Amino acid sequence: MDPRAYDARYRSARIAPPHRRPGVMGLSAVLWLLTSLSVSWLCSLAGMAALWGAAAGEPVGGFLLCCFAVLCVGGGMVVAVCRVPTVRRMSGDARSLLLGALTCPVPLVLATATWFSVG
């Protein structure tokens, strides 16, 4: 018996590497970068407002709780979309692009509005 035939038939299967699409990955990275920058801007603005309120002697617990609740609800919605079976069957690149496209607009619009209103 030819040893190459035995190896070809009984060796462990080699998994083909996934196809990488640099355009999809780049667009996904840009969307997630915009999302993270806008969320960090909103969090730092809420932190500064809470600090100024606390320095003025105002109670800020309700404000911080509201900000934390909004952040948790948004994260929970992203996780809920990620757990949908159709999304779970997508490739990693497409899933990341879809979630980035869903999460980017809301914090970006809020951050832009506060940027121009705060100055």
Side-chain angles (χ1 to χ4, degrees):
M1 177 180 225
D2 186 15
R4 290 178 295 168
Y6 180 83
D7 286 342
R9 185 167 186 158
Y10 296 111
R11 72 174 170 214
S12 60
R14 285 184 276 168
I15 298 173
H19 298 289
R20 295 288 180 199
R21 296 176 292 207
V24 172
M25 290 171 49
L27 185 59
S28 174
V30 167
L31 286 173
W32 281 108
L33 179 68
L34 288 173
T35 302
S36 64
L37 287 174
S38 56
V39 167
S40 65
W41 163 255
L42 291 171
C43 286
S44 65
L45 190 65
M48 284 190 297
L51 182 65
W52 290 339
E58 297 292 322
V60 293
F63 173 70
L64 289 178
L65 186 62
C66 180
C67 292
F68 184 70
V70 168
L71 194 62
C72 286
V73 167
M77 290 173 65
V78 171
V79 169
V81 169
C82 190
R83 297 285 184 197
V84 173
T86 307
V87 176
R88 290 182 75 181
R89 284 191 295 264
M90 296 173 102
S91 68
D93 301 341
R95 187 181 326 127
S96 178
L97 181 64
L98 173 72
L99 292 174
L102 288 176
T103 58
C104 186
V106 174
L108 187 63
V109 167
L110 287 174
T112 305
T114 58
W115 180 270
F116 286 117
S117 67
V118 171

